[in-house]
Amino acid sequence: MTPGLVPPQGAVHVSARGWGWRHAGRKAFAARHLELEITPGERVLLLGASGAGKSTVLHGLAGVLGTQDEGEQEGELLLDGAHPASVRGRAGLVLQDPETQVVLARVGDEVAFAAENLSVPREEIWQRVGRALDDVGLALPLDHPTTALSGGQKQRLALASVLAMEPGLLLLDEPTANLDPDGVLEVRDAVVRVLERTGATLVVVEHRVAVWADVVDRVIVLDAGGGILADGPPGTVLVQEATRARLADAGVWIPGWRPPVGGTLPSSGSGPALLSARELAVARTRRGPAAVEDLAIEIRAGEALGITGPNGAGKSTAALTLGGLLRPRAGTLVAHPGLAGTAGSTPHRWRSPQLVQRIGTVFQEPEHQFLTASVEEELTFGPRRISDTVDTARIAELAERLRLTHLLRANPFTLSGGEKRRLSVATMLATAPRLLILDEPTFGQDALTWAELVTLLRELVDDGVAVLSVTHDADFSDALGGATLHISGGAGRLVSR
Amino acid sequence: MASSPAVQSTARGTGQWRVVDIVVASVIAVAVGVVFVGWNVGYSGISVITAGFPPLAGLYTGGWLIAGVLGGLIIRKPGAAIYCEVLAAAVSALIGSQFGVSVLLSGAIQGAGAELVFLLFLYRRWNLPVALLAGLGAGLALAISENILYNALWTFEFKLMYAVLAAVSGIVIAGLVSWLAMRGLARTGVLSSFAAGRTADL
Amino acid sequence: MSSSYLTPVLTGRTLLRANPVSKLFAAVVITVALMSSIDWVSATVVLGCELALMPLLGISVWGLLRRIWPLLIAAVLGAYGTALLAEKTGDVLLAVGPVVFTEGSVAAGIAVGLRALALALPGIFILLTTDPTDLADALAQKLHLPHRFVLGGLASLRLVGLLVEQWETLGLARHARGIGSDGSVVARTRNLLGQSFGLIVQAIRRATRLATAMEARGFGGGTRTWARASTYSPLDAVIAVVGLVVAVGAVTTAVLAGTWNFILT
Ligand SMILES: Nc1ncnc2c1ncn2[C@@H]1O[C@H](COP(=O)(O)OP(=O)(O)OP(=O)(O)O)[C@@H](O)[C@H]1O
Ligand SMILES: Nc1ncnc2c1ncn2[C@@H]1O[C@H](COP(=O)(O)OP(=O)(O)OP(=O)(O)O)[C@@H](O)[C@H]1O
Ligand SMILES: [Mg+2]
Ligand SMILES: [Mg+2]
């Protein structure tokens, strides 16, 4: 071997031999028949439809899937020839949701945590902490509280805390979900910087391929039915006609292609006004500062509207206020008779059963809204609040179109990230409200479910429903059309198309 | 392909605590500890009502015993009842309890009462009768320690009456309520990493 | 309930600098001394010392009262209960039907009330002057408690604090799903119970995920190092000695005054 080809010190070799994992309580294997060799230092983008088992593979590689009680394993998954759980610390995993993985109260301690667990000597821990924070560009004092961080900062913190382990294998599960477009690039560049310095092996899962296509050496596409659908350099897998067609069929996003959507591009609202806001100021808490002030917006039946803006700008707060959940800080928010019916014109005074029939709000965090123990109960829950007879045909159709049918008996909390998102949207569609407010409805979706979701929403708009969506997904805004309220710096600006 | 046992390296005798056991036990304990603070304040109110006949307050004591019984029922590992009860007590002491640091001792004693029952069944049985017995064990432990530490100046008959009422409270509030809570939690699916979540008859 | 209870604003700079172990030690010896006897002299001595040390907490009298009023009420009620139930020795002070207070029983009640208050205050001292992370560091490094449990406890303390904040969001989410908090008292109570249960479900859910995140960062092994050393300083010796002096002083005074009343006799 020539010196240049010697694998970087510490990078991990991954091999999977017929590996599979079935979660306890599930009939189907989450991932199966996996045959893989990843050489040290390789940078791999792992793709696959939502629910194909990408997160499961990453958990397996990090050695955190658990024991026999938590599931059944097939075949072998090895890091440098050893079981992942026996070499903890070699692989560092950033979970799908940065919010839920913060362990400690201060930024410095949080980053140091992993190094402490690996028995790194004290002086070196602090060197590593400094370096990891530098690498991800998080310039905060070490005693900064971990609660007071924006979405993008949390994502960087999660990355830094794993980097402090100096892992030979870096595993990232949708590290840029929910970030604004600038944040996406910043986080990606941080990862690239680190890899250049450490030479670690990388496996990153992400639905939006374009972000990573230029910086990885290899793309591996998981087949939802088990095994691997495609494997090779991005220049081949994502470019060759034959593989492109196969990937498109499987619902993988490929650069330069947008899945075909049904329905028609909604025309700008011509229906009666449903909700109008004037000089509206919105705030998350009773006494805290207002997030956005002086918003003016009118939502008409049969209209799609978007809300965009950087992380932390106040989009979700505005959406919750428009949805009648938060009390406006100032200004007026009036529901017109077309929406309010008999319920009075101030949405935040409506009782819950009145609200669900009129406005359906999908929260940014799907788990907050799950109330029952199975997907099926979850879907019928809303309709039951409204009437005694549930339109089972509609529920079945929704489940079918959003690819939830095979999960009807599953527990909502055990779904994959994308499946949870779809379920939370479906629960709101099930109650057929006049106004739908969706907070990041498409994050974590593969191309097929994305297209189905867009089609569904277009149909609803056609039927006279108003759809307001908070989103970082430009394709989605384009596909739904309509005006956009751009929020940043505490103010909103309406951009019409 | 034959399934091989998953990850052998994490030692997993019945007695070994996994990380998830520790964190979930702690969360249950801390959550109950926060509730204790409210329960403590309520105790002051209850004392006003039972002031005519203070041993009646024994009926209220079961609430302080939930952490141990519930923790034991969910985690099913040796020491879980004591750990949860002590941590819950510590949290309530830190937030401000009229019993101060001494609750650590009370917590350990009460947790031991429940733990002893689980031990008697060799950490193998987790049904309703065992839960009720654990509540009883915790209630008796509480009664004995309270009678020595706080009610020391009461006359013997009052102490006895207090013990009987505390035992009843332990059975009903700590035993029954914990068992129902365990079942309810199991039904939601959040306990899927625990034996409690898999074996409960759903 | 606000989460500020779980992550209080720390005050009392001097005590904040001390190692939590020394504060814990002082609190424990004082508590042991108080608990060994029920008499008004030892309780008064301890209570007096505690009040004298209050300025170290660095909060106003009002701030303190807002925090400890439930403790005051509890102490008064404890005193009353004992006055009613203790042996009726001495002259009868008040007798209404079966309710009889005598000199002896009232004295016993006062002793119990003072003792309860004196017992409660050390917890407040620790709460207001101790950072939970420092406490965990000290418990694991100085007292050698098992680190997995100490850190698990610390992580969950933080998690529950966050969840208390999440309460509001959960309420909004339930409202959006059609089961909000309106309607009759019964409906409200049912909703409150449902929401509390929902919060516990989320707590366990997040704990499970947090455990995975911790394991993914190498947590759970037999040994680990500590980024921050928990150290003792002369201040800690002072705190320990003050604790001992208060405890021994209380016992001695009570024995000399002849009121010492050991609970196990
Ligand atoms: N803890 C669990 N218990 C039971 N089933 C699970 C669990 N986690 C995931 N699953 C199931 O395993 C399958 C694969 O899930 P996984 O999270 O690996 O998918 P994914 O490819 O990451 O999807 P997404 O892109 O939506 O995040 C899904 O059907 C999911 O419902
Ligand atoms: N539960 C909460 N309590 C208090 N403040 C909050 C809460 N959630 C968000 N905030 C704060 O309110 C402001 C607006 O947050 P919001 O969630 O509306 O932003 P956003 O535009 O939706 O951001 P993102 O794109 O990251 O979702 C931010 O400064 C945020 O820190
Ligand atoms: Mg996933
Ligand atoms: Mg948001």
Side-chain angles (χ1 to χ4, degrees):
Chain A
M1 243 195 264
T2 54
L5 290 178
V6 174
Q9 180 66 42
V12 167
H13 177 103
V14 174
S15 62
R17 308 212 180 105
W19 186 79
W21 179 270
R22 186 179 59 77
H23 291 281
R26 290 293 177 89
K27 284 211 183 67
F29 273 73
R32 202 169 198 189
H33 305 317
L34 205 61
E35 296 284 349
L36 261 187
E37 296 290 328
I38 301 175
T39 54
E42 222 171 348
R43 301 176 187 175
V44 175
L45 173 59
L46 185 63
L47 302 175
S50 169
K54 303 178 296 296
S55 298
T56 306
V57 171
L58 288 197
H59 281 72
L61 288 171
V64 294
L65 275 175
T67 52
Q68 293 97 307
D69 291 348
E70 277 123 50
E72 176 191 355
Q73 177 172 260
E74 254 183 15
E76 279 186 315
L77 191 62
L78 302 171
L79 305 188
D80 289 338
H83 277 288
S86 64
V87 288
R88 278 225 177 108
R90 293 295 286 135
L93 167 67
V94 178
L95 297 178
Q96 204 159 348
D97 179 4
E99 185 82 40
T100 53
Q101 44 189 312
V102 181
V103 182
L104 296 168
R106 285 176 274 203
V107 167
D109 296 352
E110 176 71 12
V111 179
F113 179 73
E116 296 178 312
N117 293 331
L118 302 179
S119 295
V120 175
R122 181 170 299 142
E123 303 74 46
E124 197 189 326
I125 291 180
W126 290 113
Q127 285 166 13
R128 286 190 184 195
V129 170
R131 199 156 53 211
L133 288 173
D134 271 358
D135 277 339
V136 301
L138 196 63
L140 290 173
L142 293 182
D143 59 358
H144 188 85
T146 46
T147 37
L149 295 176
S150 76
Q153 287 178 319
K154 278 193 188 122
Q155 197 60 261
R156 286 156 195 258
L157 177 66
L159 190 58
S161 0
V162 164
L163 291 180
M165 296 165 78
E166 311 213 320
L169 171 62
L170 187 58
L171 304 167
L172 307 176
D173 200 348
E174 305 198 22
T176 65
N178 273 327
L179 292 189
D180 55 39
D182 292 343
V184 169
L185 295 182
E186 287 169 19
V187 167
R188 183 202 62 186
D189 292 344
V191 171
V192 172
R193 238 185 352 258
V194 169
L195 292 177
E196 262 154 22
R197 192 170 57 70
T198 64
T201 313
L202 168 77
V203 181
V204 57
V205 168
E206 192 91 71
H207 283 284
R208 296 312 173 98
V209 175
V211 180
W212 296 93
D214 299 339
V215 299
V216 295
D217 313 320
R218 181 172 169 192
V219 173
I220 298 176
V221 185
L222 288 186
D223 189 339
I228 288 169
L229 203 60
D231 184 353
T236 316
V237 172
L238 300 174
V239 174
Q240 277 181 356
E241 274 315 312
T243 44
R244 274 179 80 98
R246 243 187 311 153
L247 298 194
D249 282 346
V252 174
W253 286 99
I254 26 188
W257 168 80
R258 199 196 274 176
V261 286
T264 49
L265 186 70
S267 53
S268 282
S270 48
L274 297 181
L275 191 69
S276 39
R278 241 177 300 126
E279 293 169 15
L280 183 70
V282 300
R284 196 64 195 227
T285 48
R286 285 259 161 91
R287 288 188 204 84
V292 192
E293 280 172 327
D294 207 14
L295 282 175
I297 190 171
E298 184 164 73
I299 304 174
R300 297 177 162 276
E303 175 182 50
L305 270 174
I307 298 186
T308 59
N311 287 124
K315 303 182 296 296
S316 300
T317 312
L320 291 174
T321 312
L322 292 170
L325 293 166
L326 292 174
R327 176 200 292 270
R329 168 58 63 82
T332 52
L333 179 67
V334 178
H336 298 291
L339 177 66
T342 54
S345 65
T346 34
H348 80 263
R349 296 236 174 82
W350 294 346
R351 298 153 148 265
S352 307
Q354 292 177 321
L355 185 71
V356 270
Q357 295 177 50
R358 292 170 173 80
I359 306 181
T361 306
V362 174
F363 283 44
Q364 190 164 1
E365 176 60 57
E367 284 196 3
H368 284 157
Q369 277 179 296
F370 294 156
L371 298 165
T372 65
S374 80
V375 169
E376 187 167 24
E377 287 171 62
E378 201 66 27
L379 286 171
T380 51
F381 185 89
R384 273 188 219 290
R385 304 291 304 168
I386 300 171
S387 77
D388 294 335
T389 52
V390 175
D391 183 354
T392 44
R394 182 176 159 74
I395 304 266
E397 190 210 329
L398 266 178
E400 188 60 41
R401 294 183 69 175
L402 292 176
R403 298 220 323 268
L404 294 167
T405 309
H406 63 294
L407 297 166
L408 283 178
R409 298 197 44 212
N411 190 295
F413 288 113
T414 63
L415 299 182
S416 82
E419 290 163 351
K420 274 182 202 149
R421 177 77 291 180
R422 297 206 290 283
L423 175 59
S424 63
V425 174
T427 56
M428 283 304 160
L429 296 179
T431 55
R434 307 277 298 137
L435 168 60
L436 260 178
I437 298 183
L438 310 167
D439 202 342
E440 306 287 356
T442 56
F443 90 76
Q445 295 310 311
D446 59 45
L448 289 182
T449 44
W450 183 90
E452 197 57 54
L453 200 61
V454 172
T455 311
L456 254 172
L457 292 175
R458 280 182 166 187
E459 288 167 13
L460 287 175
V461 175
D462 247 6
D463 289 347
V465 173
V467 174
L468 178 73
S469 23
V470 175
T471 187
H472 294 300
D473 178 356
D475 288 339
F476 177 76
S477 310
D478 286 348
L480 275 191
T484 308
L485 180 68
H486 186 81
I487 297 182
S488 73
R493 184 167 45 87
L494 205 61
V495 187
S496 57
R497 282 175 195 271
Chain B
M1 179 164 297
S3 355
S4 63
V7 189
Q8 295 99 343
S9 62
T10 28
R12 181 81 138 85
T14 41
Q16 275 280 350
W17 285 62
R18 300 167 300 164
V19 172
V20 66
D21 293 325
I22 296 176
V23 180
V24 170
S26 309
V27 160
I28 292 173
V30 176
V32 177
V34 175
V35 175
F36 277 1
V37 178
W39 197 259
N40 288 346
V41 174
Y43 179 65
S44 303
I46 289 293
S47 317
V48 177
I49 300 169
T50 60
F53 189 65
L56 268 182
L59 275 181
Y60 188 77
T61 54
W64 284 302
L65 308 172
I66 287 183
V69 182
L70 184 61
L73 285 177
I74 289 177
I75 307 297
R76 306 191 171 180
K77 296 275 154 81
I82 295 184
Y83 175 69
C84 287
E85 190 70 52
V86 170
L87 183 58
V91 167
S92 74
L94 277 183
I95 300 177
S97 133
Q98 60 257 47
F99 313 110
V101 183
S102 66
V103 289
L104 288 179
L105 178 62
S106 308
I109 293 171
Q110 294 155 15
E115 189 76 49
L116 211 59
V117 173
F118 294 135
L119 175 66
L120 276 179
F121 289 90
L122 300 174
Y123 300 102
R124 294 242 176 87
R125 296 225 175 278
W126 307 97
N127 51 20
L128 179 60
V130 174
L132 296 180
L133 276 178
L136 172 68
L140 287 179
L142 171 136
I144 294 169
S145 66
E146 295 288 293
N147 276 340
I148 294 174
L149 298 175
Y150 298 97
N151 310 336
L153 301 183
W154 293 6
T155 51
F156 180 75
E157 306 84 79
F158 286 134
K159 284 183 182 171
L160 187 65
M161 220 168 305
Y162 181 81
V164 171
L165 294 176
V168 170
S169 178
I171 293 173
V172 177
I173 302 184
L176 185 62
V177 170
S178 298
W179 190 77
L180 290 175
M182 186 264 287
R183 286 242 315 204
L185 287 173
R187 219 173 269 133
T188 65
V190 285
L191 299 181
S192 61
S193 331
F194 298 86
R198 290 189 293 265
T199 56
D201 52 326
L202 302 181
Chain C
M1 164 145 333
S2 122
S3 63
S4 62
Y5 280 90
L6 284 169
T7 44
V9 181
L10 299 178
T11 55
R13 271 158 192 260
T14 317
L15 288 178
L16 194 55
R17 268 191 289 116
N19 191 300
V21 168
S22 62
K23 290 180 263 182
L24 214 52
F25 172 80
V28 167
V29 288
I30 292 175
T31 301
V32 168
L34 273 172
M35 294 204 22
S36 341
S37 163
I38 300 183
D39 70 287
W40 69 271
V41 173
S42 65
T44 311
V45 170
V46 172
L47 196 56
C49 295
E50 285 167 351
L51 291 177
L53 291 171
M54 281 288 163
L56 280 179
L57 287 182
I59 65 172
S60 67
V61 176
W62 266 122
L64 192 66
L65 273 181
R66 255 214 317 275
R67 231 164 217 299
I68 65 168
W69 66 262
L71 313 184
L72 289 174
I73 293 182
V76 170
L77 289 168
Y80 168 74
T82 298
L84 196 67
L85 294 189
E87 302 271 7
K88 306 291 188 244
T89 52
D91 294 341
V92 172
L93 295 178
L94 179 75
V96 184
V99 179
V100 179
F101 292 105
T102 65
E103 263 175 8
S105 77
V106 168
I110 291 175
V112 163
L114 290 173
R115 175 175 177 257
L117 202 56
L119 275 174
L121 287 180
I124 300 288
F125 270 83
I126 294 182
L127 168 74
L128 288 177
T129 65
T130 309
D131 178 277
T133 312
D134 290 345
L135 178 61
D137 275 339
L139 290 178
Q141 293 175 50
K142 291 298 183 200
L143 296 187
H144 301 288
L145 298 186
H147 72 256
R148 297 199 311 158
F149 286 86
V150 171
L151 286 168
L154 179 67
S156 59
L157 196 66
R158 191 183 152 270
L159 199 60
V160 173
L162 289 182
L163 278 161
V164 175
E165 270 170 28
Q166 289 270 309
W167 174 259
E168 202 109 325
T169 312
L170 195 62
L172 295 184
R174 288 168 61 87
H175 185 39
R177 292 291 315 268
I179 43 168
S181 59
D182 34 32
S184 65
V185 175
V186 178
R188 270 165 202 267
T189 314
R190 253 221 323 266
N191 181 58
L192 190 74
L193 287 177
Q195 193 169 333
S196 316
F197 189 72
L199 195 69
I200 293 180
V201 169
Q202 293 222 344
I204 296 180
R205 176 75 201 144
R206 282 190 71 164
T208 313
R209 201 137 15 129
L210 186 65
T212 306
M214 289 167 82
E215 281 193 289
R217 286 198 255 150
F219 181 74
T223 54
R224 86 196 293 273
T225 48
W226 300 88
R228 288 187 301 141
S230 181
T231 52
Y232 291 130
S233 68
L235 177 62
D236 294 300
V238 174
I239 290 173
V241 169
V242 168
L244 270 178
V245 167
V246 172
V248 172
V251 174
T252 319
T253 323
V255 170
L256 290 180
T259 60
W260 180 253
N261 178 13
F262 191 53
I263 47 170
L264 294 181
T265 50

